[in-house]
Amino acid sequence: MAQNSQKPDPKAPLRGIRVVDLSTMLAGPLAVSMLADQGADVVKVEAPEGDTSRRIGPAKGDLSAMFIAANRGKRCITLDLKAEAGREVLRTLLRGADVLVDNMRPQALARLGFGRAALEELNPGLVHASITGFGPDGPYAEGRAYDAVIQALSGMCAVHAQPAGGDPLLVTTTLCDKLTALTAAQAISSALLARERGAGGQHVQVSMLDAAVAFQWPDAMYNHVFLDDAPPSAPEFGISHRPWKTRDGALTTNTPQRSELVGLVTALGRPELADDPRFSSVPALQRHGQALRDELGPVLADLSTDEAVRRLMAHGVPVGRVNGRAEVLRDPQVVHNASLCEVSNGDAGRVRLPAGAARFGDGAPQPPGPGAHRGQHTRELLAELGYDTAAIDALVAAGAAR
C-alpha cells in the first residue's frame, strides 16, 4: 500500500490501516490526523472548493496553518461527489479501506448513495465513523453545528462565566471540536479492535453535543450526579480557580491535598494559615477560596514569577507559570519532551507541528507528515486504484476529479 511521503514507523500501531477522510473543518479532520500520527494511511477526499479550514488563519496559498495542523500526514484527492464518476472513485477507495470518517449532517451521505446498507455491501469490514453536531436524529439534528453552538448548549459557556455569576463566556479555543476529535479517534480505534476480534465492521456515531456533555460531567456537573437522597450541593468546582498575579506575570496552582496546602502557605511565609478552619479541607477550601486568595495574593504580587515558582516547587506545591503563546514554544519541559517538531512542508517551507502526544515503546514519536495542497495526490491515488493515464485525464477533464 502506498503511503505518505513520510515513511511510516514500522512500530506504529495503525500501520497498514487505510482511512478515507470525508470530514471537513476541525473535529473530524483532527480525529483522523491522530490516526495518521499513529501510522494510518489517510486519504482525504475534498470537494472541488476544498476544506473551509484552508481559508482560516495565516496561509500560504491553499495551505493555512489550521489546515496543516488538522490534516497533517494525509494525502489529498479532490472529487466531485455530485458527479457519478466521482462517486465511483469513492466506491473504489472504500472497497480497500478500513475506516471511513465523515462529519456531514445526518442522511447527507445516504443521499449521495453511501448509506449504511450501501457501505456494508461495498465493504462489510468497514468501520464507518459519523461525527455530527447533535446526533443522528432529534430536534436539532439537521441544524448546523459549530464549536460555539456546542459550548452554549453543553453548559460550557455558563461554567466559564467570570467572575462567578457574571455573563456566560465562550472558551476562546475550539474546545468542543477538539474534545470530540479525541472521543472519535478513541472510538474508531476501539471499533478496529472489535473488528480484529471478529465483530466485523460497524457504524460508530459521535455527536459533538454528547462528547461535550460527557466532558463536563466529572467536575462541572458534579452537583447533578446523585438522584436518590442527594447530598447537599457543593460549591461549583473551580469557582475560585484563576491565575495568581506575580510582580512580573502570573502563575496557577491547585492544592486539593493537605500536604500541598501546607506547602503553599509555608512557601509564602504564612504557615499559620494551614490551621485556619476555613482552609482545613477540600470542601472548606471550595467555600473559602476567595479568602485564601485575599491572604496570599499580596504575598505573590511582591514576588517575581521565577522566585514564586522556585519556592512553591521546593515545597512540593503543584505550580505552573502562565505562558504566553510564544513562551509555550520555549518552555523547558516542552523543549525537553520534544512536544513540538519542525516538518518540511514542500513549497510552504518548514512548519511547526505537535509531535504525537502518545508514545509507543521506548522511542521518540515519529514527526507527523506535512499538510497537502488541494488535489495534490489525485493522480497518484487514482493510479493506485487502477486508473490508467487516459482514464485519469478523462476524470479530470470532466471535473469529477481534480
Side-chain angles (χ1 to χ4, degrees):
M1 179 183 295
Q3 295 279 342
N4 197 299
S5 57
Q6 177 91 359
K7 187 176 180 180
D9 182 347
K11 300 187 296 298
L14 294 180
R15 185 169 180 260
I17 296 294
R18 170 167 279 190
V19 181
V20 175
D21 182 11
L22 285 178
S23 65
T24 62
M25 283 297 288
L26 196 53
L30 187 58
V32 177
S33 75
M34 296 175 194
L35 306 181
D37 289 345
Q38 294 172 11
D41 174 30
V42 177
V43 178
K44 182 178 178 72
V45 178
E46 290 183 84
E49 63 271 19
D51 192 320
T52 302
S53 68
R54 289 187 181 276
R55 299 179 285 279
I56 299 177
K60 290 184 176 181
D62 68 347
L63 289 173
S64 73
M66 177 183 282
F67 179 87
I68 293 171
N71 293 278
R72 56 190 185 265
K74 304 176 186 180
R75 293 188 289 168
C76 290
I77 183 171
T78 299
L79 298 176
D80 183 357
L81 297 183
K82 296 176 183 176
E84 175 55 29
R87 293 194 294 272
E88 183 55 34
V89 174
L90 179 58
R91 292 186 192 101
T92 306
L93 266 173
L94 292 175
R95 288 187 186 101
D98 300 286
V99 178
L100 167 66
V101 178
D102 83 275
N103 61 350
M104 300 180 184
R105 281 182 284 179
Q107 306 308 316
L109 198 59
R111 287 193 289 270
L112 290 171
F114 296 94
R116 187 62 199 158
L119 291 174
E120 287 178 346
E121 183 177 350
L122 272 175
N123 184 345
L126 185 70
V127 171
H128 174 205
S130 295
I131 300 171
T132 59
F134 308 108
D137 45 43
Y140 306 156
E142 290 297 329
R144 292 181 179 269
Y146 291 105
D147 191 271
V149 174
I150 304 301
Q151 284 195 40
L153 289 172
S154 67
M156 207 168 283
C157 287
V159 166
H160 288 92
Q162 289 290 346
D167 291 337
L169 296 176
L170 285 167
V171 180
T172 55
T173 181
T174 52
L175 183 60
C176 293
D177 273 308
K178 289 183 280 191
L179 67 88
T180 301
L182 289 165
T183 304
Q186 189 278 328
I188 291 166
S189 298
S190 292
L192 286 170
L193 176 60
R195 190 185 69 169
E196 289 301 306
R197 292 176 170 176
Q202 62 177 296
H203 191 193
V204 177
Q205 301 187 68
V206 178
S207 83
M208 291 177 67
L209 181 59
D210 289 346
V213 168
F215 183 82
Q216 293 265 83
W217 218 259
D219 49 6
M221 300 293 285
Y222 63 17
N223 280 318
H224 301 271
V225 170
F226 290 104
L227 295 176
D228 299 323
D229 300 318
S233 293
E236 297 296 354
F237 186 85
I239 197 165
S240 63
H241 289 184
R242 57 187 184 277
W244 300 79
K245 291 183 179 179
T246 62
R247 189 173 69 232
D248 58 354
L251 58 81
T252 65
T253 184
N254 192 20
T255 56
Q257 299 189 61
R258 174 70 180 168
S259 62
E260 295 163 347
L261 185 279
V262 172
L264 175 67
V265 297
T266 303
L268 298 181
R270 297 293 307 277
E272 74 281 2
L273 294 177
D275 299 319
D276 191 313
R278 294 175 297 172
F279 317 130
S280 61
S281 67
V282 170
L285 272 171
Q286 286 181 309
R287 290 192 298 272
H288 302 293
Q290 185 57 50
L292 185 65
R293 297 186 69 89
D294 292 341
E295 297 282 358
L296 298 181
V299 180
L300 280 163
D302 282 341
L303 298 174
S304 69
T305 304
D306 285 346
E307 174 63 13
V309 168
R310 186 191 64 77
R311 287 195 194 184
L312 294 176
M313 290 187 73
H315 284 80
V317 180
V319 61
R321 69 179 66 247
V322 174
N323 283 331
R325 287 172 169 84
E327 290 173 313
V328 172
L329 312 179
R330 303 186 295 271
D331 185 273
Q333 191 67 46
V334 172
V335 173
H336 173 82
N337 287 358
S339 303
L340 301 168
C341 57
E342 293 183 357
V343 174
S344 176
N345 209 108
D347 58 5
R350 292 177 304 141
V351 297
R352 183 185 289 112
L353 292 172
R359 303 189 181 195
F360 301 89
D362 298 327
Q366 186 185 35
H373 289 291
R374 181 167 55 94
Q376 180 174 332
H377 302 99
T378 295
R379 287 181 175 271
E380 172 186 316
L381 285 161
L382 288 172
E384 284 182 24
L385 295 174
Y387 290 84
D388 61 24
T389 301
I392 293 171
D393 289 343
L395 283 169
V396 172
R402 298 183 188 179

